[in-house]
Amino acid sequence: MVERILDAGGRVLAEHGYEGASTSRIAATAGVSPGSLYQYFPHKDAIVSAVLERYGDALVSHVTARMSGQFEQSAPVIVRSTLTALLDGLDVEPPFLRAAVEDGPRLDDGRTLRAFEQRIGELVLAYLTTQRRGLRPDASLDTAVWMLVRTVEHLTVRYLLDRPPIPRERFLEELTHLALNYLRPAS
């Protein structure tokens, strides 16, 4: 029942966004009575928070799967592959993505977003640690991880929401170039 409600909540967010979501609309989409829905979730925000947490978990799993076993690849290959996985995972219906990035942090005081950034940051740190010899000698890995995760996250989300006239492959190429050059030693 909970999975049905969460699936319905995700569909409603994708179609109507946060403002257009309601417990009655989610219940109807799930094929359950509002009373049944309230047995599991006290209000709309509880459903939306659970949907967004599940989405964040799936996104981290998707990016982790793409990075796993690739640490021996060259930096351009793994960075491009990881950025592609992130872009693919974030490329959901705009109302859903907008709810995730604009309404989600307000609902849980940013807890889900911070957890997502922390988990992605751990992956980036693991990779950068294996590549330490090829990085700028003055680079602080903790600072670099914080900067990279938030820069890539922001640019990717804005690209998907704004839909600028930049072809997807060009965007990935530029973002890969930006990420790679940030930590490259000066020549």
Side-chain angles (χ1 to χ4, degrees):
M1 179 70 77
V2 170
E3 288 302 311
R4 241 167 79 189
I5 293 169
L6 293 178
D7 289 343
R11 287 193 305 276
V12 169
L13 281 176
E15 290 177 32
H16 304 283
Y18 176 79
E19 293 303 321
S22 66
T23 53
S24 59
R25 185 173 268 161
I26 293 168
T29 302
V32 301
S33 71
S36 294
L37 181 141
Y38 287 123
Q39 288 179 341
Y40 299 96
F41 296 97
H43 45 70
K44 173 178 96 168
D45 288 353
I47 299 168
V48 172
S49 291
V51 166
L52 297 179
E53 185 174 334
R54 185 172 75 162
Y55 170 65
D57 290 345
L59 185 55
V60 169
S61 294
H62 180 68
V63 172
T64 300
R66 185 69 65 93
M67 285 183 79
S68 294
Q70 289 199 23
F71 279 22
E72 71 283 348
Q73 297 287 328
S74 68
V77 170
I78 192 169
V79 169
R80 174 69 179 246
S81 176
T82 302
L83 294 177
T84 300
L86 182 64
L87 186 62
D88 290 346
L90 286 171
D91 197 3
V92 294
E93 292 297 321
F96 185 94
L97 183 58
R98 192 170 305 284
V101 298
E102 293 175 1
D103 298 307
R106 181 181 52 77
L107 297 176
D108 68 0
D109 200 28
R111 187 181 66 250
T112 300
L113 178 60
R114 283 192 306 276
F116 168 77
E117 291 168 342
Q118 174 70 30
R119 290 163 52 200
I120 294 294
E122 290 166 0
L123 292 171
V124 173
L125 179 60
Y127 177 70
L128 291 179
T129 300
T130 68
Q131 302 297 308
R132 187 66 174 127
R133 291 183 322 151
L135 305 179
R136 279 190 347 242
D138 67 330
S140 159
L141 292 187
D142 290 335
T143 300
V145 166
W146 191 92
M147 299 283 290
L148 283 169
V149 168
R150 279 139 191 95
T151 298
V152 166
E153 173 187 24
H154 179 77
L155 289 173
T156 303
V157 166
R158 292 309 335 153
Y159 176 76
L160 292 168
L161 289 178
D162 297 346
R163 301 291 179 180
I166 303 169
R168 179 185 171 87
E169 289 305 309
R170 182 68 183 182
F171 173 76
L172 282 167
E173 182 180 313
E174 293 294 328
L175 191 56
T176 299
H177 185 71
L178 181 101
L180 288 170
N181 284 315
Y182 170 58
L183 291 172
R184 187 166 283 155
S187 49

